[in-house]
Amino acid sequence: MPLDHVKNDDASSIIRNDIISTDEATIKSYEEDNSVSDMNNQREAKETPTTVEIEQERQQQQQPYSIYSKSQKLLITFMVSCAGIISPFSGTIYYPALKPISESFEVSTSLVNLSITVYMVFQGVSPLFWGPCSDLYGRRPIYLCTMTIFIGACIALANTPSFPILLVLRMLQAFGASSGMAIGAGVIGDITTPAERGAYYSIFTSFALSSTAIGPVIGGVITNELSWRWIFWILLMIGSVGLITVLFFLPETLRALVGNGSIQANPTPSQWIKQKRLLRQNADKKTQLPSSFLSENNTTKNSNSRFKKLPGFVESFMVLRYPDVILIMIINGCFMAMLFTFMTTTPAYFSTIYNLNTLQVGLCYIPYGAGSVVGSFTTGRFVVDRDFRIIARKYGMDPEQVRKTGKLALDFPIYRARLRTVWIQMVICQIIIITYGWTLHVQAHLAVPLVLQFIGGASIASVMNVCQTLVIDLFPGKGATITATSNLVRSIFGAIATATIQPGIDRVGLGWLFSIIGLILTLTNSFIPILIKFGPSWWSKRVERREREAQRQQQKKKQGAEG
């Protein structure tokens, strides 16, 4: 069943009737006096706050941050999580097909590896285009557009006749698939408050990180039992299910269009039919339409006008001028680089040291993927949100009130609330990476590096979950844009790690290289106290500057309307 919107009460209808009555009185007075001075006095009276306006503002403050129940939020999170897994899953399921593709098109392995590189590049860059688009036009139109591109690319890849065409189509596939992570994070930011965001975002990241475990295994089975071309037919099926789910069941959540969800924009087919039926019923009865329907019509007009504007693509890069954002992104990127050290060294060294075949190597990704899911879920539900509640109560705030309104005071220590215990996971991660390298160096029992992968996956997922939740808190309403920026930084760090890990091992050896990586990661520990101490002042200045800019824009619009 599609999600139903909660109807507004009749207060807005009463407000509208009061405003209409006031306008009729104004017209009557002007006709009687026909005086310019009276008209000026009436204009001044309109500019002063009325009881109706004060009541309307009070009602807006009392409205919940989101109209969706907990079960509805979980359902929306599940839908965007399934859509978000498409991009990383399409990358990891492809790994076992590298050798068969090389043999099929009679090209070298290094040339086939280029198809992984171009996919990673477009996977990192494309969200910088789709993220700002979804923050302007809405989540649903961009979801539907990108999934259609992804499906078309999968059909073409399954029938590609040559390797150069496959290379181009992999770029197109990444261009369509990569939006899922950025838009999904934006949707979760739309419907959740800072007091509960960690738990929902942990579900979202758990799905994405699980692809590192299931992707290579499924890809290996498909390649061995069927053909490498069937990988793209399977991705076509997954993409089609995602497209149908978004088309028929996922509501629009962009707060600039739908507010807390009580207004409809970019409707699902069932919502559109419901609107048309309500319009016909009220037209036949010649009764006044409900206030929520009038709001929907007004918002639809506003949303249509947004398609005439251009997204702020530069904004994705401009956020990197803020020192707190840079520090958070560096932490996130460094731990993403650590993830890639696990991913890229597993096939070569596990097959050599432990004499494993392709399918067995694929199964070795399961401990890391399982650890990522466990770490992300437990951190979001039992650490991130718990730390928020502890800090909120310490500073005299009611977490439940924040959960309802979604509003944080400028003096609230959001950095301390999010980063309170993350240093524990960072230290564990650094110890694991050093130990992991030396276990491979001494060729310890296979169970040892697999257990270390599980612990490392849990700690990496925890750190990345905290960092991403914090940046979404800092930029409300811009979750897709800020996630696109984060995705770019992580992709750059991951690409650097992928390119340098093997030359580094060849030069200094497994044990020493992983020790160097662990020591480099310890430098990020110093960022935590810096963010806790200086972050609040950086954040408050940025918010105040944004509010002043919004006031200036509002004054310009008001002056233009009066002119």
Side-chain angles (χ1 to χ4, degrees):
M1 293 295 292
L3 300 177
D4 293 329
H5 289 275
V6 179
K7 295 296 182 181
N8 295 330
D9 54 23
D10 295 332
S12 57
S13 179
I14 298 173
I15 294 170
R16 188 163 47 253
N17 292 335
D18 290 343
I19 295 174
I20 293 173
S21 301
T22 305
D23 291 342
E24 290 175 352
T26 302
I27 295 171
K28 183 177 180 180
S29 175
Y30 175 70
E31 290 175 348
E32 290 176 354
D33 299 338
N34 196 19
S35 171
V36 176
S37 60
D38 288 345
M39 187 172 60
N40 291 336
N41 292 335
Q42 292 162 14
R43 179 180 299 175
E44 292 176 0
K46 288 183 180 180
E47 292 176 354
T48 59
T50 63
T51 304
V52 173
E53 293 171 345
I54 295 173
E55 177 66 17
Q56 188 175 15
E57 183 179 356
R58 185 184 66 82
Q59 291 179 1
Q60 291 176 352
Q61 292 177 352
Q62 291 180 348
Q63 289 182 350
Y65 184 81
S66 175
I67 64 167
Y68 298 112
S69 64
K70 184 177 180 180
S71 60
Q72 289 174 325
K73 290 179 181 179
L74 286 172
L75 180 57
I76 293 174
T77 302
F78 176 76
M79 286 190 285
V80 299
S81 298
C82 292
I85 201 177
I86 291 177
S87 177
F89 183 72
S90 299
T92 56
I93 196 177
Y94 181 77
Y95 291 155
L98 295 179
K99 187 176 180 180
I101 290 174
S102 174
E103 296 172 351
S104 177
F105 293 118
E106 297 181 351
V107 296
S108 64
T109 303
S110 60
L111 195 59
V112 175
N113 288 339
L114 185 61
S115 63
I116 298 178
T117 303
V118 297
Y119 186 90
M120 289 181 61
V121 170
F122 274 77
Q123 187 182 45
V125 174
S126 299
L128 298 176
F129 174 79
W130 297 121
C133 287
S134 72
D135 284 338
L136 177 63
Y137 304 139
R139 313 303 187 195
R140 280 176 51 80
I142 307 304
Y143 259 136
L144 297 175
C145 177
T146 56
M147 286 186 173
T148 302
I149 294 173
F150 174 78
I151 290 172
C154 289
I155 295 174
L157 280 165
N159 296 280
T160 182
S162 63
F163 180 74
I165 296 177
L166 181 141
L167 206 61
V168 174
L169 290 174
R170 281 289 282 176
M171 300 179 194
L172 184 63
Q173 186 186 42
F175 183 67
S178 60
S179 68
M181 291 299 295
I183 302 177
V187 169
I188 293 175
D190 293 335
I191 64 174
T192 61
T193 65
E196 61 184 352
R197 188 165 294 149
Y200 290 96
Y201 193 77
S202 67
I203 299 174
F204 178 72
T205 54
S206 295
F207 273 71
L209 293 171
S210 66
S211 66
T212 60
I214 62 177
V217 177
I218 295 176
V221 172
I222 294 173
T223 303
N224 290 333
E225 300 297 329
L226 298 173
S227 164
W228 64 266
R229 294 182 184 273
W230 267 95
I231 288 177
F232 300 110
W233 290 121
I234 296 297
L235 291 175
L236 168 65
M237 299 175 192
I238 295 173
S240 299
V241 172
L243 178 65
I244 293 172
T245 301
V246 171
L247 176 62
F248 288 98
F249 302 109
L250 182 67
E252 180 60 63
T253 63
L254 181 63
R255 298 188 68 83
L257 292 179
V258 300
N260 65 355
S262 57
I263 301 172
Q264 293 180 5
N266 302 326
T268 62
S270 61
Q271 290 174 342
W272 185 83
I273 293 172
K274 188 175 181 180
Q275 287 182 8
K276 294 301 179 182
R277 184 184 299 117
L278 184 61
L279 181 62
R280 278 198 308 271
Q281 290 176 353
N282 284 274
D284 294 339
K285 296 179 181 179
K286 297 182 180 181
T287 57
Q288 186 179 4
L289 289 172
S291 59
S292 59
F293 186 80
L294 294 174
S295 300
E296 291 164 11
N297 279 345
N298 293 335
T299 303
T300 302
K301 294 178 181 178
N302 294 334
S303 63
N304 292 336
S305 66
R306 297 167 78 90
F307 286 96
K308 301 177 183 179
K309 302 179 182 178
L310 290 176
F313 298 117
V314 181
E315 187 176 356
S316 298
F317 299 96
M318 295 300 291
V319 296
L320 294 175
R321 72 185 188 272
Y322 303 125
D324 53 338
V325 175
I326 293 176
L327 295 179
I328 297 170
M329 294 292 184
I330 291 176
I331 296 174
N332 214 357
C334 285
F335 283 84
M336 173 60 77
M338 182 178 168
L339 182 153
F340 275 90
T341 61
F342 283 127
M343 295 289 294
T344 55
T345 56
T346 296
Y349 291 96
F350 276 52
S351 60
T352 302
I353 297 173
Y354 303 106
N355 195 26
L356 303 179
N357 59 34
T358 304
L359 182 58
Q360 290 172 332
V361 170
L363 293 173
C364 289
Y365 283 98
I366 293 179
Y368 175 81
S372 300
V373 173
V374 172
S376 179
F377 181 77
T378 55
T379 299
R381 185 172 182 83
F382 302 110
V383 179
V384 177
D385 288 349
R386 185 204 64 183
D387 287 347
F388 184 93
R389 290 193 296 270
I390 291 173
I391 297 300
R393 292 192 182 99
K394 183 178 179 180
Y395 284 81
M397 294 182 60
D398 183 7
E400 290 302 320
Q401 185 65 23
V402 177
R403 188 187 299 273
K404 292 178 181 179
T405 63
K407 296 180 180 179
L408 288 175
L410 285 180
D411 58 350
F412 180 77
I414 186 64
Y415 297 86
R416 182 178 296 276
R418 294 304 188 201
L419 305 174
R420 179 173 176 266
T421 57
V422 71
W423 64 271
I424 299 175
Q425 300 298 330
M426 295 172 69
V427 172
I428 292 175
C429 201
Q430 292 149 13
I431 295 174
I432 291 297
I433 192 71
I434 295 173
T435 308
Y436 180 79
W438 288 107
T439 58
L440 293 179
H441 177 75
V442 301
Q443 300 184 11
H445 190 275
L446 178 61
V448 177
L450 291 180
V451 170
L452 293 176
Q453 279 197 9
F454 178 87
I455 301 173
S459 57
I460 291 174
S462 300
V463 174
M464 293 175 62
N465 189 29
V466 169
C467 291
Q468 195 59 35
T469 303
L470 177 57
V471 293
I472 292 176
D473 290 336
L474 299 178
F475 294 89
K478 297 292 182 181
T481 299
I482 195 66
T483 303
T485 308
S486 178
N487 186 71
L488 174 65
V489 174
R490 288 183 299 186
S491 297
I492 292 173
F493 276 76
I496 293 173
T498 303
T500 59
I501 185 68
Q502 190 57 51
I505 293 174
D506 294 339
R507 182 175 293 272
V508 300
L510 272 169
W512 285 112
L513 180 68
F514 278 84
S515 298
I516 293 171
I517 295 173
L519 293 174
I520 292 174
L521 287 176
T522 58
L523 298 177
T524 60
N525 295 346
S526 61
F527 295 170
I528 302 302
I530 293 174
L531 286 167
I532 291 176
K533 182 175 181 179
F534 299 104
S537 62
W538 293 333
W539 178 44
S540 60
K541 290 178 181 178
R542 185 164 60 243
V543 172
E544 291 172 356
R545 184 165 56 249
R546 191 160 54 233
E547 289 177 349
R548 288 196 299 268
E549 180 64 25
Q551 290 176 358
R552 283 197 295 267
Q553 294 294 334
Q554 190 174 7
Q555 289 177 356
K556 288 181 180 179
K557 290 181 180 180
K558 187 176 180 180
Q559 291 174 357
E562 291 178 352

